[in-house]
Amino acid sequence: MKIHFLILIVTLAILSISAQSQEQQFTHQDTLRGSITPERAWWDLTYYHLDITVDPENKFIKGKNTIYYKVLERNNVLQVDLQSPLVIDKVVEDGKKLKVRTDGNAHFVTLHKKQKRNKVNKIEVYYSGKPREAVNAPWDGGISWKKDINGNHFIASSCQGLGASVWWPNKDHMYDEVDSMLVSVTVPKELINVSNGRLRKVEEHKNTKTFHWFVNNPINNYGVNINIGDYIHFGEKYAGEKGTLDMDYYVLRDNLERAKEQFKDAPKMMKAFEHWFGPYPFYEDSFKLVEVPYLGMEHQSSITYGNKYVNGYLGNDLSGTGWGLKFDFIIIHESGHEWFANNITNKDIADMWIHESFTAYSESIFLDYYYGKEAASAYVIGTRRGIKNDQPIIGSYNVNSEGSIDMYYKGANMLHTLRQLIDDDKKWRAILRGMNQEFYHKTVTSKQIEAYLSTKTNIDLTAFFNQYLRDTKIPVLEYDFSDEGLRYRYTDIVKDFDMPVRIFIDKKGLWIHPNANWQTLKINADTITIDPNFFVLARSI
């Protein structure tokens, strides 16, 4: 367990260093990948049919993606993304081969057909090659080519941050989600492929099978996945807020009994999160947990699982409080992303806190539902030990750059602090549910989420978000006692930061309203305690 925890800490450190490096220098390729280029802006995705054959023995993929799009403005050059060493073999429009100019991982297709506004057109992108092999999935992803203990191929994709174009050609930017898609995957006949959405049919061939999975809802590109193995299936019907939800589980054959016990956390998760966040956003596509040879990822309606069938994070409690061992971290965390990442999706990866802060916070929300508010508070406060304060949570825009890894637990504690400011759990629940209704199946910016929260809380949260999202300092409440009473002020704050905070004097709660200037409260006391639910530091001077 200690080894696993050490691996986690090292991984987080590597990610932090990598993110800092990215922030310091960006390339032309970063701009092509991370911005809404002119060759992306003029067309809107409507439908994909990804049709591929996976050759496990040679670690090879070939096939095509048929891209349907609506013309927003007239243009004749369209950008498709596909990362080396994969290659585009040809692009076809109405049976005619098109000219393709390649600039690194961006491929610019010149169309023959006149592009008329509001018309829906399509192109077919044929490709092949050996995709990048995952180095340390899911953080440093690609395709994981593994084998199970029985020697069967065990294969899975993971590509958050790196981009879906690492294994299939697409419009690889978060702002434009395809409305629906069909994923057709041909694999050796002894294996099963599990992807997103619902299984429409399985075609039998001499030596292979083709699995056709249909996704009815909009889906972000990194949420699309393939999972190939010697799977066995079981499932259940969940009586949810929008009716009956199919919950399906695909695990390696030898792990069936362990999965039946461990996956009891899945309906528990659904009950807690539907209560706090609103209905599961993808009833039409079902909910799945799929075992994979890496830790896990939030692939939409196809959550991948590799937490070794133990509670906590590979058996460890990231909060150090004991509460983290009350649930399977991957089932709870990755499923939380169905609401925050898959339902509400950031337009630019710089705003990835929208995904990770709310989902890290969902871990404590799960505890709140089953074990109470004190347990939830203890857990989220305990996770502060992992906060680095190395760089702002929000990254650099238009260059595919996420911010600090603090988007997880600094972000979660920011939201926990906001809950204290609201000081009304019914209102807080209504806000969280309202978010998932207001931004249902939408891509959003940080500014939109910040504005929504300011409006619904009736609090100007401008400085609050500038402090926690755009700065590395944690507010410090300085205080001392004099004959006049308690003197206090904030230091290490951004301009106009004046967040109220609850203090305790002789166990009695009292709100104060600090800012950058000294204030005095006439009380007869010589000690105070700051409510630990507020993410502020205290310093007696």
Side-chain angles (χ1 to χ4, degrees):
M1 290 172 62
K2 290 182 179 178
I3 292 174
H4 286 314
F5 190 70
L6 178 61
I7 291 172
L8 170 64
I9 297 301
V10 171
T11 299
L12 295 182
I14 291 172
L15 287 172
S16 177
I17 292 169
S18 173
Q20 290 181 57
S21 175
Q22 283 185 328
E23 186 179 22
Q24 292 167 1
Q25 49 182 317
F26 297 111
T27 67
H28 171 62
Q29 283 298 308
D30 292 326
T31 299
L32 289 179
R33 170 80 171 81
S35 64
I36 304 173
T37 63
E39 294 80 13
R40 283 172 168 161
W42 66 270
W43 55 286
D44 176 58
L45 280 170
T46 61
Y47 184 76
Y48 283 138
H49 180 197
L50 179 62
D51 186 1
I52 62 174
T53 297
V54 179
D55 178 357
E57 291 296 333
N58 295 300
K59 299 182 179 180
F60 193 86
I61 293 178
K62 68 176 180 179
K64 68 174 180 177
N65 186 24
T66 303
I67 302 173
Y68 292 77
Y69 62 93
K70 181 179 181 180
V71 178
L72 303 178
E73 299 290 341
R74 288 187 177 181
N75 203 318
N76 73 329
V77 180
L78 178 151
Q79 179 180 338
V80 175
D81 304 289
L82 184 68
Q83 297 182 33
S84 176
L86 293 172
V87 296
I88 290 180
D89 298 315
K90 62 180 178 180
V91 180
V92 175
E93 177 192 50
D94 293 340
K96 297 179 181 179
K97 189 175 178 179
L98 300 176
K99 179 182 177 181
V100 180
R101 178 178 64 86
T102 293
D103 185 350
N105 296 323
H107 309 272
F108 297 93
V109 181
T110 300
L111 302 164
H112 288 315
K113 182 187 294 185
K114 187 175 182 180
Q115 303 297 301
K116 297 181 179 179
R117 190 177 297 177
N118 296 322
K119 181 77 172 177
V120 175
N121 296 324
K122 72 173 182 177
I123 59 172
E124 297 170 294
V125 182
Y126 291 81
Y127 78 109
S128 61
K130 294 186 176 183
R132 182 184 191 275
E133 188 164 353
V135 177
N136 183 29
W139 303 281
D140 195 353
I143 302 295
S144 298
W145 305 94
K146 306 293 183 180
K147 290 192 175 181
D148 65 21
I149 60 173
N150 298 314
N152 299 303
H153 287 288
F154 191 24
I155 302 161
S157 62
S158 59
C159 55
Q160 185 181 24
L162 183 63
S165 56
V166 75
W167 67 275
W168 62 287
N170 63 93
K171 189 179 191 179
D172 203 357
H173 193 287
M174 300 295 290
Y175 88 100
D176 189 7
E177 293 187 342
V178 70
D179 298 335
S180 60
M181 75 179 293
L182 179 63
V183 183
S184 301
V185 183
T186 300
V187 298
K189 64 180 179 180
E190 68 275 10
L191 300 175
I192 291 174
N193 173 73
V194 183
S195 291
N196 315 80
R198 292 184 183 272
L199 184 62
R200 273 189 166 175
K201 64 178 179 178
V202 180
E203 290 182 306
E204 302 270 356
H205 313 291
K206 182 178 179 181
N207 297 313
T208 62
K209 291 180 181 178
T210 303
F211 294 82
H212 298 275
W213 293 87
F214 179 70
V215 184
N216 189 74
N217 290 291
I219 185 169
N220 58 59
N221 46 56
Y222 84 86
V224 179
N225 69 347
I226 54 172
N227 307 287
I228 301 166
D230 181 28
Y231 287 124
I232 191 165
H233 165 261
F234 68 103
E236 59 189 306
K237 304 287 187 181
Y238 178 79
E241 288 196 13
K242 290 178 68 175
T244 300
L245 173 64
D246 292 320
M247 300 185 70
D248 294 293
Y249 313 117
Y250 291 84
V251 300
L252 293 182
R253 190 171 301 276
D254 291 348
N255 293 331
L256 178 59
E257 295 307 316
R258 297 171 71 193
K260 285 182 176 180
E261 182 61 31
Q262 192 69 11
F263 287 5
K264 289 178 180 178
D265 264 4
K268 289 180 63 180
M269 169 279 301
M270 194 63 66
K271 186 175 182 181
F273 287 173
E274 285 209 328
H275 171 83
W276 277 103
F277 302 145
Y280 174 68
F282 308 106
Y283 270 71
E284 301 86 352
D285 291 324
S286 77
F287 172 88
K288 293 187 293 297
L289 286 177
V290 187
E291 186 173 2
V292 290
Y294 62 87
L295 186 61
M297 179 54 64
E298 66 263 25
H299 302 106
Q300 184 173 307
S301 73
S302 182
I303 301 297
T304 48
Y305 176 87
N307 202 42
K308 309 298 184 184
Y309 299 100
V310 294
N311 279 2
Y313 181 108
L314 292 171
N316 296 283
D317 174 13
L318 298 183
S319 76
T321 64
W323 289 111
L325 297 177
K326 296 292 186 181
F327 59 90
D328 188 307
F329 176 91
I330 290 299
I331 294 176
I332 304 310
H333 179 90
E334 303 304 345
S335 298
H337 276 305
E338 293 280 43
W339 286 263
F340 299 98
N342 299 338
N343 185 37
I344 305 174
T345 307
N346 55 236
K347 284 187 175 179
D348 191 299
I349 199 173
D351 289 334
M352 203 164 83
W353 77 270
I354 299 167
H355 297 197
E356 301 299 352
S357 297
F358 281 97
T359 303
Y361 180 68
S362 77
E363 299 158 25
S364 66
I365 283 293
F366 176 84
L367 288 169
D368 190 300
Y369 189 85
Y370 288 103
Y371 299 98
K373 197 171 181 178
E374 289 187 10
S377 296
Y379 176 85
V380 71
I381 292 169
T383 62
R384 291 176 187 172
R385 64 182 187 156
I387 296 172
K388 300 176 67 65
N389 291 317
D390 59 338
Q391 59 178 332
I393 285 177
I394 291 181
S396 299
Y397 291 101
N398 299 316
V399 285
N400 194 46
S401 171
E402 62 191 64
S404 169
I405 199 162
D406 281 349
M407 70 179 76
Y408 289 83
Y409 291 123
K410 183 177 179 181
N413 276 277
M414 173 188 73
L415 295 173
H416 185 62
T417 299
L418 180 56
R419 180 180 183 177
Q420 314 312 309
L421 295 178
I422 296 170
D423 202 26
D424 182 337
D425 287 347
K426 289 184 178 180
K427 185 175 182 179
W428 181 228
R429 178 185 173 221
I431 288 171
L432 294 174
R433 290 175 64 93
M435 276 185 66
N436 279 281
Q437 186 175 29
E438 176 79 12
F439 303 110
Y440 184 74
H441 292 178
K442 292 181 180 178
T443 60
V444 299
T445 66
S446 181
K447 288 294 188 181
Q448 285 177 278
I449 298 300
E450 294 170 52
Y452 173 86
L453 291 171
S454 286
T455 299
K456 296 302 180 180
T457 60
N458 199 29
I459 303 171
D460 184 352
L461 295 170
T462 303
F464 176 86
F465 286 121
N466 286 341
Q467 180 77 46
Y468 289 109
L469 295 177
R470 301 179 176 87
D471 201 275
T472 59
K473 299 187 295 290
I474 303 303
V476 176
L477 181 67
E478 287 189 338
Y479 67 94
D480 68 0
F481 295 94
S482 67
D483 292 341
E484 295 180 355
L486 171 68
R487 287 201 320 145
Y488 59 89
R489 69 171 181 180
Y490 277 134
T491 61
D492 288 349
I493 55 173
V494 300
K495 181 182 178 182
D496 298 327
F497 185 84
D498 59 355
M499 180 182 75
V501 64
R502 187 187 295 114
I503 64 173
F504 294 98
I505 300 173
D506 295 327
K507 298 183 179 181
K508 182 179 179 181
L510 178 69
W511 285 88
I512 59 175
H513 295 76
N515 54 37
N517 302 314
W518 283 107
Q519 299 179 59
T520 300
L521 178 65
K522 294 182 179 181
I523 57 170
N524 184 19
D526 54 9
T527 60
I528 65 168
T529 302
I530 297 176
D531 187 339
N533 291 295
F534 289 79
F535 190 32
V536 298
L537 304 176
R539 181 164 58 231
S540 176
I541 60 174

